[in-house]
Amino acid sequence: MINVCPNCHHQELEGALFCSECGTKLVEQSGLSTAAIPASDSRAVEARKSAAPPPSLPEMTGEAVASLHIVRTGQILPLVGRDEFTIGRVSEGQSILPDIDLTPYEAYSQGVSRLHATIKIQGDDLMIIDLGSSNGTRINNNKVTPHEEREIQHGDVIALGQFKIQALLRQDEP
């Protein structure tokens, strides 16, 4: 079955949560309900409420040449130990796992695919490749063509479906 975007009328495959062309939400929320948070999880909720909002452009820390700033939570994930990272989410029964698992950050509800994109560090440059994800990848709201490398600049906002991360590159002082 093919879903049609109500905004731009782009045809999407069944199961897509967001339009890969314009980013519009495709799934109706009717029939879904929220779940009560057990008392044992209330500490995590309180910690999130009391956390200070993230700065508009966080500072790089440690030895990482590049890091990913999760916009919604303010958490920073340093890219260290290799030159190439797959980004996605883990799902039960999945045999190939992403290097950076966004599952703990509600990635599924934001439209992140299991293997959504690859980020490569090439010297001082940072590149991203969409791996044919269901809900697309955007850099500063510009669509990334699947399987083509696109350069990422310091401060760029990358949307994996509706999940937003900000690229932070080490800025050497002149």
Side-chain angles (χ1 to χ4, degrees), residues 100-142:
I100 299 172
D101 179 21
L102 299 176
T103 305
Y105 309 103
E106 300 175 14
Y108 175 77
S109 66
Q110 297 291 306
V112 176
S113 293
R114 292 177 189 138
L115 294 175
H116 198 106
T118 296
I119 290 188
K120 293 181 179 182
I121 301 170
Q122 298 175 336
D124 292 334
D125 296 327
L126 195 63
M127 309 299 282
I128 190 163
I129 303 165
D130 180 275
L131 298 174
S133 63
S134 296
N135 296 303
T137 300
R138 296 177 175 277
I139 300 173
N140 298 327
N141 234 5
N142 297 310

Side-chain angles (χ1 to χ4, degrees), residues 4-173:
V4 177
C5 174
N7 184 47
C8 71
H9 305 290
H10 185 261
Q11 293 185 351
E12 294 291 337
L13 294 176
E14 182 178 4
L17 300 175
F18 301 96
C19 176
S20 63
E21 196 62 36
C22 71
T24 298
K25 192 173 202 170
L26 299 175
V27 178
E28 290 294 324
Q29 293 292 331
S30 61
L32 296 178
S33 60
T34 58
I37 298 174
S40 62
D41 292 344
S42 62
R43 288 174 295 163
V45 171
E46 289 305 315
R48 270 189 244 129
K49 285 181 184 176
S50 64
S56 61
L57 197 59
E59 293 295 317
M60 287 284 300
T61 57
E63 297 297 316
V65 172
S67 295
L68 302 176
H69 167 238
I70 299 174
V71 173
R72 190 175 57 79
T73 66
Q75 186 162 359
I76 295 177
L77 306 173
L79 300 177
V80 292
R82 55 178 42 173
D83 294 331
E84 190 171 312
F85 301 85
T86 54
I87 302 173
R89 61 178 173 80
V90 174
S91 141
E92 190 175 323
Q94 185 175 347
S95 59
I96 300 174
L97 304 175
D99 299 314
I100 299 172
D101 179 21
L102 299 176
T103 305
Y105 309 103
E106 300 175 14
Y108 175 77
S109 66
Q110 297 291 306
V112 176
S113 293
R114 292 177 189 138
L115 294 175
H116 198 106
T118 296
I119 290 188
K120 293 181 179 182
I121 301 170
Q122 298 175 336
D124 292 334
D125 296 327
L126 195 63
M127 309 299 282
I128 190 163
I129 303 165
D130 180 275
L131 298 174
S133 63
S134 296
N135 296 303
T137 300
R138 296 177 175 277
I139 300 173
N140 298 327
N141 234 5
N142 297 310
K143 186 176 179 181
V144 173
T145 304
H147 309 291
E148 288 186 16
E149 271 189 357
R150 286 278 302 275
E151 188 171 359
I152 302 170
Q153 302 294 322
H154 178 69
D156 282 351
V157 175
I158 303 160
L160 308 171
Q162 295 293 308
F163 189 92
K164 293 185 178 169
I165 53 178
Q166 185 175 37
L168 304 176
L169 289 117
R170 182 171 302 285
Q171 302 292 298
D172 294 325
E173 300 286 327

